[in-house]
């Protein structure tokens, strides 16, 4: 539901969606195999920490932002250094943050 | 004299006179024995005769008599036949018997000894025979029946030739002390039991040496050191404080403040186990001497519980915010895809559906939701039609939390649609819901919603949020495929997904 709503907001804002993943395995496969410029990561994917996805993104040098209901200090260190937006977060805020990450 | 009547008044008077003189004689005798007499005047036929008890013997006797009258212990002397030859003032008081009445009487008239232990009497006799004296405690029963606990010293009296001629007993009444001793004993047993059974560690420390002088059994349980390895050590040596300086500092502070508390000290047991403890130390005076008592309470479990509560609160916060984010997305979508006039009403219904799903998740502690329970909750409005127009059947199956949310929302949309346009919009249409798990190598969970008997079905002209929920969103929730069929005789919906993605 959240991914879908975000996807629509991002498309409306002019972004192209490389892919949506609801589970960690899908996300890791996508980071490995797709071409994209940035990622929006939920810290918790279907009850599993998205930490490995953050690590994989860092390894590929891809910028990302985190959206989570957890406070930043509760999140594993894999997420450190990234911007963390608190849920519930207005879609415009995410759009803005992504624009900030990417070169104009 | 023989002629006189036996009951004559003269005879009675004479008898009384004789009694009085006998009493006087006995008193005189007692006074001589006690050394209270310096001289005697005896009336004889030749007139009064004065017998003086003079010289060193008299002075010594007198002094001895005074001393014995002064001592607070009861002093009694008996001859070889156990007849009383002397008793001092303290003995008169203790046994409630005037010396004048008991001199020459058998000792048993004054009191009877009752030995505490059966062996005591034999030990007493042996001691007298072999050492000439005995010391110990026993019970004496007075002539009036009162029991006295006494501490006695009994010595064999010998004449100038060294032959035994009687006994001298010095008895101290310890009845009061005995009562106190018994009270102390009861108290000691009671508090020792507390000390030994306590589930807190207790240490007694000498503030001068800083060493442990006593430790209760729980300390051994807590630290793994046997009792004898705790006693004699300083606190830092058993890992309670980090070093000798900390030990010294604690004692110094205690001497100033009498009380200290460490809320949270890490502790290593002898086996290297990590524990958290809370320590309360008090400086007391014990019989004028300062002692330190340390109570050590293990709080490892409590700390763990506190951490757990913190974690739970964070988790609840995360879930609440996640749910709010879902509500936000539903609101955004309801507004975007729906009819402006009905958007608010639909949003309210959808929030209700989310809440119903949330209840089920909480009841199952977020473990999973039974499919049948999810249907009952999401179709609660149609409860009256269950078993007649709303039929559902399938095996026991528990949906994962995320799958339950997606399928729950889909069921809500399906029911809303059926009530508005489909089989539940007239009086005879029916909805059949079924679900199954295939027995393949990679088992699949599938669920279907089949309507019949409703008005003739036509595919919607415009794609609403409801279609997205039963389509894309349901698929995403279970990583599955949704098929939607607007057949004229009845709408149908099927969702198939890998079992591991949908079920627990």
């Amino acid at each position: 539901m959240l991914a879908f709503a975000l996807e629509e907001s991002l498309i409306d804002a002019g972004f192209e969606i490389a892919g949506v993943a609801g589970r960690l395995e899908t996300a890791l496969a996508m980071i490995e195999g797709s071409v994209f410029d940035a990622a929006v990561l939920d810290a918790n994917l279907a009850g599993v920490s998205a930490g490995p996805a953050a690590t994989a993104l860092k390894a590929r040098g891809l910028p990302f932002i985190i959206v989570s209901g957890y406070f930043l200090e509760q999140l594993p260190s894999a997420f450190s250094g990234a911007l963390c937006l608190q849920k519930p977060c207005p879609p415009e805020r995410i759009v803005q943050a992504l624009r900030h990450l990417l070169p104009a | 004299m023989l002629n006189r009547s036996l009951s004559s008044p003269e005879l009675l008077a004479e008898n009384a006179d004789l009694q009085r003189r006998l009493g006087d004689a006995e008193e005189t005798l007692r006074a001589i024995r006690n050394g209270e007499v310096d001289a005697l005047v005896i009336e004889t036929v030749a007139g009064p005769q004065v017998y003086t008890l003079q010289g060193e013997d008299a002075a010594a006797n007198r002094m001895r008599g005074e001393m014995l009258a002064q001592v607070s212990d009861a002093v009694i002397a008996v001859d070889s036949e156990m007849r009383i030859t002397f008793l001092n003032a303290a003995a008169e008081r203790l046994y409630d018997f005037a010396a004048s009445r008991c001199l020459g009487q058998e000792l048993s008239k004054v009191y009877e000894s009752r030995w505490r232990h059966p062996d005591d009497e034999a030990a007493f006799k042996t001691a007298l025979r072999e050492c000439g004296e005995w010391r110990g405690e026993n019970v004496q029963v007075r002539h009036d029946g009162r029991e006295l606990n006494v501490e006695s010293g009994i010595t064999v009296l010998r004449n100038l030739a060294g032959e035994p001629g009687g006994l001298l007993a010095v008895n101290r009444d310890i009845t009061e002390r005995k009562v106190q001793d018994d009270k102390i004993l009861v108290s000691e047993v009671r508090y020792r039991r507390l000390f030994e059974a306590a589930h807190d560690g207790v240490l007694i420390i000498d503030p001068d040496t800083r060493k442990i002088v006593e430790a209760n059994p729980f300390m051994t349980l807590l630290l793994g050191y046997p009792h004898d390895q705790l006693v004699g050590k300083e606190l830092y040596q058993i890992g309670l404080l980090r070093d000798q300086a900390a030990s010294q500092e604690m004692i110094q502070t205690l001497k100033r403040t009498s009380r200290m508390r460490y809320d949270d000290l890490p502790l290593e047991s002898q086996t290297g186990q990590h524990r958290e403890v809370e320590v309360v130390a008090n400086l007391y005076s014990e019989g004028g001497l300062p002692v330190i008592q340390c109570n050590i309470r293990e709080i490892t479990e409590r700390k763990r519980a506190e951490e757990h509560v913190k974690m739970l609160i964070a988790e609840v916060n995360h879930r609440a915010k996640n749910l709010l984010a879902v509500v936000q997305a539903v609101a955004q979508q309801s507004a975007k895809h729906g009819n402006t006039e009905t958007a608010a009403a639909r949003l309210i219904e959808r929030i209700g559906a989310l809440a119903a799903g949330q209840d089920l998740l909480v009841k199952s502690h977020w473990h999973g939701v039974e499919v049948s329970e999810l249907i009952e909750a999401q179709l609660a409005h149609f409860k009256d039609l269950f078993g007649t127009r709303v039929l559902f059947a399938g095996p026991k199956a528990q949906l994962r939390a995320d799958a339950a949310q997606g399928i729950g929302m889909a069921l809500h949309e399906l029911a809303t649609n059926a009530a508005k346009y489909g089989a539940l919009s007239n009086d005879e249409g029916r909805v059949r819901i079924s679900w199954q798990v295939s027995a393949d190598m990679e088992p699949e969970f599938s669920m279907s919603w089949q309507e019949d008997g409703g008005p003739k079905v036509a595919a919607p002209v415009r794609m609403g949020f409801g279609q997205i929920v039963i389509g894309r969103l349901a698929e995403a929730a279970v990583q599955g495929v949704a098929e939607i069929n607007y057949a004229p005789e009845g709408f149908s919906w099927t969702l198939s997904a890998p079992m591991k993605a949908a079920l627990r």
Side-chain angles (χ1 to χ4, degrees):
Chain A
M1 170 69 70
L2 297 178
F4 170 74
L6 178 61
E7 197 184 330
E8 287 216 331
S9 303
L10 291 180
I11 292 170
D12 291 349
F15 288 93
E16 261 181 66
I17 308 296
V20 180
R23 308 276 158 114
L24 179 63
E25 313 88 76
T26 329
L28 287 174
M30 235 174 242
I31 294 166
E32 197 61 37
S34 324
V35 181
F36 58 96
D37 303 314
V40 180
L41 210 54
D42 191 322
N44 185 314
L45 291 172
V48 178
S49 166
T55 309
L57 285 166
K58 280 184 183 172
R60 278 199 59 186
L62 290 165
F64 61 93
I65 57 172
I66 303 153
V67 182
S68 179
Y70 290 110
F71 295 122
L72 186 59
E73 60 268 23
Q74 293 170 334
L75 294 175
S77 57
F79 296 108
S80 62
L83 175 67
C84 178
L85 297 175
Q86 286 288 302
K87 282 185 190 176
C89 174
E92 301 75 39
R93 183 84 186 77
I94 298 173
V95 168
Q96 196 186 22
L98 270 181
R99 285 215 173 104
H100 194 72
L101 277 188
L102 298 169
Chain B
M1 274 166 83
L2 288 172
N3 297 340
R4 275 194 263 173
S5 160
L6 282 172
S7 58
S8 71
E10 295 85 357
L11 188 59
L12 286 173
E14 191 171 333
N15 188 31
D17 186 42
L18 280 172
Q19 289 281 343
R20 183 184 52 78
R21 286 168 60 189
L22 184 63
D24 287 349
E26 279 182 347
E27 175 55 26
T28 308
L29 195 61
R30 186 196 66 82
I32 295 170
R33 281 198 174 114
N34 287 359
E36 294 164 6
V37 176
D38 295 329
L40 286 177
V41 180
I42 312 274
E43 293 287 344
T44 65
V45 232
Q49 296 262 336
V50 179
Y51 294 86
T52 328
L53 298 172
Q54 280 177 334
E56 288 179 10
D57 277 359
N61 268 340
R62 193 186 165 129
M63 192 172 80
R64 206 173 295 142
E66 277 174 1
M67 275 166 60
L68 288 171
Q70 291 299 317
V71 296
S72 54
D73 291 346
V75 181
I76 303 179
V78 291
D79 64 15
S80 52
E81 257 105 53
M82 299 298 280
R83 281 192 302 262
I84 296 171
T85 55
F86 171 82
L87 82 168
N88 70 347
E92 288 183 282
R93 286 195 299 273
L94 181 61
Y95 300 109
D96 188 30
F97 229 106
S100 59
R101 284 182 56 225
C102 61
L103 284 173
Q105 301 280 349
E106 284 190 12
L107 180 65
S108 58
K109 281 253 169 24
V110 178
Y111 67 79
E112 304 246 28
S113 287
R114 190 196 296 156
W115 299 96
R116 279 234 179 91
H117 303 288
D119 301 339
D120 283 0
E121 190 170 9
F124 160 73
K125 285 180 173 163
T126 310
L128 280 192
R129 196 173 55 239
E130 290 175 2
C131 319
E133 64 169 26
W134 172 85
R135 277 174 198 287
E137 289 181 10
N138 70 349
V139 177
Q140 295 176 344
V141 185
R142 253 166 47 157
H143 65 93
D144 59 1
R146 206 178 118 188
E147 287 187 10
L148 301 169
N149 279 283
V150 295
E151 196 176 70
S152 293
I154 295 177
T155 319
V156 175
L157 292 174
R158 292 174 195 278
N159 61 17
L160 287 174
E163 295 151 346
L167 297 172
L168 179 75
V170 179
N171 297 329
R172 176 171 296 176
D173 182 12
I174 56 164
T175 312
E176 263 310 297
R177 201 183 82 195
K178 209 72 199 160
V179 169
Q180 290 305 325
D181 283 357
D182 286 351
K183 275 189 190 161
I184 289 169
L185 194 70
V186 168
S187 170
E188 157 73 12
V189 168
R190 177 176 303 156
Y191 291 104
R192 179 150 288 276
R193 208 164 46 214
L194 278 178
F195 178 74
E196 284 178 351
H199 275 248
D200 281 349
V202 183
L203 292 174
I204 308 291
I205 295 163
D206 179 340
D208 293 328
T209 63
R210 298 191 300 273
K211 289 190 162 83
I212 297 168
V213 291
E214 185 57 291
N216 72 340
F218 194 77
M219 276 314 296
T220 296
L221 267 172
L222 197 62
L223 293 174
Y225 294 100
H227 182 263
D228 58 352
Q229 284 187 34
L230 287 169
V231 171
K233 288 224 170 79
E234 287 196 41
L235 287 182
Y236 75 93
Q237 291 172 307
I238 57 166
L240 200 56
L241 293 171
R242 72 185 175 280
D243 53 23
Q244 193 164 20
S247 252
Q248 280 171 347
E249 193 191 311
M250 170 182 166
I251 309 265
Q252 286 310 318
T253 312
L254 269 174
K255 281 181 176 169
R256 262 196 336 268
T257 61
S258 295
R259 185 179 160 83
M260 269 185 95
R261 184 189 173 91
Y262 297 90
D263 284 329
D264 189 359
L265 283 183
L267 192 62
E268 290 268 312
S269 76
Q270 200 189 23
T271 53
Q273 238 182 324
H274 183 81
R275 299 183 191 284
E276 306 274 340
V277 294
E278 173 187 273
V279 178
V280 175
N282 285 290
L283 183 86
Y284 298 111
S285 167
E286 219 174 63
L289 290 173
V291 291
I292 291 170
Q293 184 188 322
C294 282
N295 284 44
I296 295 138
R297 174 166 298 174
E298 184 171 5
I299 53 167
T300 316
E301 275 306 307
R302 196 179 81 196
K303 294 274 288 182
R304 205 172 290 159
E306 282 170 6
E307 285 303 315
H308 188 63
V309 167
K310 256 190 224 165
M311 193 271 281
L312 283 180
I313 290 172
E315 193 58 32
V316 165
N317 186 37
H318 159 247
R319 287 182 180 172
K321 282 157 76 184
N322 203 55
L323 193 60
L324 284 173
V326 172
V327 170
Q328 186 192 59
V330 171
Q332 182 196 352
Q333 294 299 318
S334 300
K336 189 171 173 187
H337 299 280
N339 179 334
T340 335
E341 281 169 31
T342 56
R346 298 306 310 277
L347 173 61
I348 290 168
E349 285 167 21
R350 283 169 180 147
I351 292 174
L354 282 172
Q358 179 80 2
D359 280 348
L360 292 176
L361 282 170
V362 169
K363 271 183 206 153
S364 73
H365 304 283
W366 294 83
H367 284 319
V369 176
E370 271 298 326
V371 177
S372 57
E373 284 179 26
L374 186 62
I375 294 168
E376 282 170 22
Q378 294 297 354
L379 273 68
H381 283 320
F382 306 101
K383 209 175 165 208
D384 295 345
L385 306 180
F386 285 0
T388 53
R389 294 179 57 203
V390 174
L391 306 162
F392 51 94
K396 266 189 136 3
Q398 280 210 321
L399 293 165
R400 293 167 53 124
D402 44 347
Q405 194 184 67
I407 293 178
M409 289 298 284
L411 286 168
H412 168 76
E413 296 300 330
L414 289 167
T416 307
N417 263 340
K420 277 166 83 178
Y421 317 107
L424 300 179
S425 67
N426 64 11
D427 290 336
E428 60 263 11
R430 288 191 299 185
V431 175
R432 283 192 179 81
I433 310 165
S434 64
W435 65 95
Q436 49 274 313
V437 179
S438 73
D440 303 335
M441 277 290 284
E442 279 184 30
E444 200 182 60
F445 169 76
S446 61
M447 187 169 184
S448 72
W449 173 288
Q450 177 71 56
E451 296 182 20
D452 68 63
K456 193 165 179 246
V457 175
V461 222
R462 205 168 76 89
M463 181 82 157
F465 183 51
Q467 270 74 35
I468 296 168
V469 171
I470 63 173
R472 273 193 61 182
L473 294 183
E475 287 179 337
V478 292
Q479 295 182 307
V481 177
E483 279 173 39
I484 299 163
N485 189 356
Y486 295 94
E489 65 277 11
F491 167 87
S492 71
W493 171 85
T494 316
L495 183 70
S496 317
M499 189 188 82
K500 61 179 184 5
L503 302 183
R504 285 188 69 235

